[in-house]
Amino acid sequence: MEVIMDPVLTIIAGAAILTVIGIMSGGTFLLRIAAGGTPFNGLQKTFFRAGHAHAGVLVILGLVSLLLTSAAGTAVVWQWASVGVLASAILIPGGFFLSVLGRDPERPGRAIALLWTGVVVLAASLLAVGVGVIAAGVSALG
């Protein structure tokens, strides 16, 4: 069985892999914070750490979703649901990072809405990916 991914999704997958370079540079930023070289409060440090971790995990989950939907032979529309997982890899960390910008914030700002938007996009996308892969498996049974 030959697995061929939609060409546009292949480009998106390649771009997602390149975003890991940015996530890596975020790691060096976190090291500077941990070493005390950059002054941030406890809330900021916690949110920066959470944003960084979510970015890495969600990019990997999005790529795995693309590969699974493609390998399972799902219709392209189900494969596109994986792009939602990758979008959540921008929205959720963005909510973490942007909601605590500024000097010594006491609580997250309005940009926290990005995080919750990302959670909804992630849940809907994973539901679609899961249903698409199950449907492809059931269809393959005969």
Side-chain angles (χ1 to χ4, degrees):
M1 175 173 123
E2 184 179 350
V3 177
I4 298 176
M5 191 182 297
D6 178 83
V8 175
L9 291 174
T10 303
I11 294 167
I12 291 170
I17 289 169
L18 293 176
T19 67
V20 176
I21 297 167
I23 296 168
M24 288 170 38
S25 68
T28 60
F29 173 71
L30 288 175
L31 286 173
R32 279 185 278 147
I33 291 173
T38 311
F40 288 105
N41 70 22
L43 174 67
Q44 289 171 315
K45 289 177 185 178
T46 301
F47 269 52
F48 292 161
R49 191 176 300 123
H52 181 72
H54 279 83
V57 168
L58 291 172
V59 166
I60 298 299
L61 182 59
L63 291 169
V64 168
S65 296
L66 271 170
L67 291 173
L68 278 174
T69 55
S70 180
T74 64
V76 174
V77 68
W78 294 109
Q79 292 177 29
W80 272 92
S82 301
V83 175
V85 178
L86 291 169
S88 75
I90 296 169
L91 294 167
I92 292 172
F96 277 118
F97 296 133
L98 298 175
S99 68
V100 293
L101 291 180
R103 288 204 115 146
D104 202 24
E106 294 179 21
R107 63 181 200 270
R110 289 185 213 166
I112 197 74
L114 287 172
L115 185 149
W116 296 112
T117 302
V119 167
V120 171
V121 169
L122 178 62
S125 299
L126 288 174
L127 178 65
V129 166
V131 168
V133 171
I134 291 169
V138 168
S139 176
L141 287 174

